[in-house]
Structure formats: C-alpha cells, structure tokens
Amino acid sequence: MIERNDSPGISAVVITKNEETNIQRCLESLKWADETVVVDSGSTDRTLEIAERCGARALTHIMSPFNANQQRNWAMENGNLIGEWVLFMDADEQVTPALAEAICRELGQAQDDVVGYRLAPKFMFMGRWLKHAGGYPAWHDRLVRKGTLSFVGSWPPDHFEQTDKKIGHIYEPYLHFSFNNGIERWIDKHNLYSTNVACDVISSLQSDYHVEGRHEFGERLQLWASRYIILGTLLRLAYFLIVRRAVFDGHAGIVHALMMAMYQLMIGLKVEEFKRRERGSPM
C-alpha cells in the first residue's frame, strides 16, 4: 500500500490508441492515484473495455493529425480532473511503487511556486534495461499542477511551455516498455513522430531555428542535422553507439541504435519530401 500522507489530490491520465496489450498493466500501476482517466484517440481493440474494467474513467477525443502534447492539454481543459496535480503516463509505461511513494512525498512538501516535475524512464528492450542507449536519465515533462502550465510543440512529446516558475525533478524512474506492442507498432509510432519532427525542421528553416519552446542546444542540433539525409542518419548512429555507449548495453543496445538511425533516416527523407513538395518537384 502506497503511503499518501499529506499529498494533494493526483489525477493520473493515460493517452491511448489500441493499447489492449499494455493498458491493464499501466492502470494497475496507478491504483494509488485519486483517479485514473484514459483519453483515447479512437481505439478499435479492447482498450476502452479493459480500462473501464480496471476502474478508469474513459474519454474519447480524436484529433487529426494526432499530437500527444495537444491531447494532454485537451485532457486538462476538458477532462473534469479532480486532482490538484496531473500525472501523464503512456499505456506502455508503468509507475513502480517506489516512484509512487516518491511522487506522493514530493508533492506533499511542494512549495506554491513549483508548477511541474520532470520524470525519467528506464527504457526496457529485449528483456534488458537500456541504461546507456536510453540516455538515462532522459527527463520528460510529465507531472503538472493543474491550471498552471500547458504542453507545447509536437516534439518532444513531453514538453512544457516556458515558465519562470519552478520545475522540479523526481529521481525515482518509471518503466517504459516502448516495444511491447511489437516492432510493427514501434515503426508506426515513429513514422508519426518523424513527420512531426520533419514539420519542426521545416518551421526552423523558415524562422532561423527560433521554434517555439525550443531553446536547448541539443534540440537545435537535432533540427539542423535532420536537414541532411545521410549525415543526419550517420550522426544519430554514432551518437547512440559512441556518445551514449549503446555498445555497453550489448546486443539489445546495438539493435536499438540501428533502429534509431533508421528513425533519423525517415526524418531526413520527409524533410527532403516537404522541401521538394514546396518547390513543386517530384520526390
């Protein structure tokens, strides 16, 4: 049993589409929250049936094209959430008991000027924690005081708007099983992500890299590298193998590095496609 003590109300929101493989495990890891809400994007499998069986309140909001940050904003604005704080999780993620206790402990002593927290996942692949390839700790904006912050942009999908108020960090990780729906679903998801990043690259070209919500050097470097198909792909592969030391994660780490290089190749190809389409040239 998770000790809530004096922690304020917490609403846990899970964004879903066709997540029958993952949703029960995710929702069971959120039983300690005051409520769990599933915001679905039009599932055609048993996702909503399983969610309701697990005691979650299910809402449907379909947007085209899908944008995870805007879906989260919609949930805060239209979900009638009861918690003072909102924790956003994806269906292929799990909150460990240790993280649940850390969240409750931190929120119980949070000052009024703290409006959000960043959390870090443990990326799991082929039965192994990708400690190096996953860039641990890779911080994600996931826990927000309701009514204080919005999510912005299309990538990264966990990105608070800029604020002069305090954003804290919770150092106990959650688990991310990003491949649990199968490699085909991972490819489908990153096909969508690559389109979003390619759109940001085109926007950056039109605004001299000053894209809303993007001020970190690493993000600007990624936008620059994505302008070049081969260079960007090789840089992404070298980054994972050498800088992140994916080789120390063994076979799983090297496979993951190759998959991320493939993802970068998709981004570069779509950037080229968008530029040619603007010029009226065939791909």
Side-chain angles (χ1 to χ4, degrees):
M1 177 67 90
I2 305 300
E3 292 291 336
R4 291 294 303 272
N5 296 326
D6 297 325
S7 66
I10 302 171
S11 295
V13 176
V14 184
I15 306 299
T16 64
K17 184 175 181 180
N18 293 332
E19 291 285 358
E20 65 179 8
T21 303
N22 295 307
I23 189 62
Q24 181 170 342
R25 189 183 300 107
C26 175
L27 292 176
E28 287 178 350
S29 78
L30 294 168
K31 290 290 189 182
W32 53 274
D34 293 282
E35 66 170 346
T36 52
V37 179
V38 167
V39 179
D40 189 74
S41 301
S43 291
T44 56
D45 64 1
R46 298 172 55 245
T47 297
L48 294 180
E49 173 192 338
I50 296 171
E52 292 174 348
R53 191 175 70 217
C54 291
R57 180 161 55 92
L59 306 174
T60 298
H61 180 244
I62 300 174
M63 61 170 57
S64 182
F66 176 79
N67 182 303
N69 286 335
Q70 294 306 313
Q71 190 77 314
R72 289 176 176 138
N73 291 336
W74 184 90
M76 288 192 287
E77 294 168 3
N78 301 280
N80 296 317
L81 305 179
I82 65 175
E84 177 185 349
W85 289 86
V86 185
L87 172 65
F88 287 98
M89 300 299 294
D90 292 339
D92 58 358
E93 298 168 346
Q94 296 174 48
V95 173
T96 66
L99 173 57
E101 291 180 356
I103 290 173
C104 294
R105 182 171 59 250
E106 184 66 32
L107 296 187
Q109 60 190 16
Q111 301 298 313
D112 291 341
D113 60 345
V114 177
V115 294
Y117 287 91
R118 296 186 169 105
L119 282 69
K122 279 185 174 182
F123 287 100
M124 310 299 293
F125 181 45
M126 300 175 73
R128 180 162 184 161
W129 170 28
L130 298 181
K131 182 177 182 180
H132 302 284
Y136 183 82
W139 295 104
H140 293 250
D141 299 348
R142 288 301 188 89
L143 182 58
V144 58
R145 193 189 296 266
K146 190 173 63 181
T148 61
L149 284 177
S150 296
F151 292 85
V152 296
S154 56
W155 186 265
D158 317 296
H159 200 79
F160 290 147
E161 64 183 321
Q162 284 188 290
T163 180
D164 56 0
K165 295 186 178 180
K166 291 182 180 179
I167 305 294
H169 293 75
I170 295 178
Y171 292 91
E172 189 67 39
Y174 61 92
L175 304 181
H176 186 190
F177 298 89
S178 62
F179 301 91
N180 204 44
N181 278 318
I183 299 302
E184 183 175 355
R185 279 288 299 275
W186 183 92
I187 293 172
D188 289 343
K189 182 168 65 174
H190 283 74
N191 182 39
L192 173 63
Y193 288 168
S194 62
T195 300
N196 290 338
V197 177
C199 289
D200 279 359
V201 173
I202 296 300
S203 296
S204 74
L205 290 172
Q206 297 169 348
S207 58
D208 194 26
Y209 299 114
H210 296 293
V211 182
E212 180 183 5
R214 295 184 178 277
H215 295 273
E216 296 182 8
F217 173 76
E219 293 176 2
R220 295 178 63 184
L221 180 61
Q222 180 184 356
L223 292 180
W224 174 83
S226 296
R227 296 166 59 188
Y228 307 100
I229 298 174
I230 297 175
L231 177 62
T233 301
L234 293 176
L235 285 175
R236 178 66 73 100
L237 180 60
Y239 172 71
F240 274 90
L241 289 177
I242 300 172
V243 179
R244 283 197 176 181
R245 300 182 297 165
V247 292
F248 290 106
D249 290 324
H251 176 75
I254 296 172
V255 171
H256 179 260
L258 291 169
M259 294 176 69
M260 294 307 295
M262 179 185 72
Y263 167 52
Q264 184 64 46
L265 177 62
M266 293 165 62
I267 296 171
L269 285 169
K270 289 181 180 182
V271 170
E272 179 67 18
E273 180 184 13
F274 290 159
K275 289 193 294 186
R276 286 178 174 271
R277 188 180 299 164
E278 289 179 349
R279 297 196 303 263
S281 302
M283 184 68 178

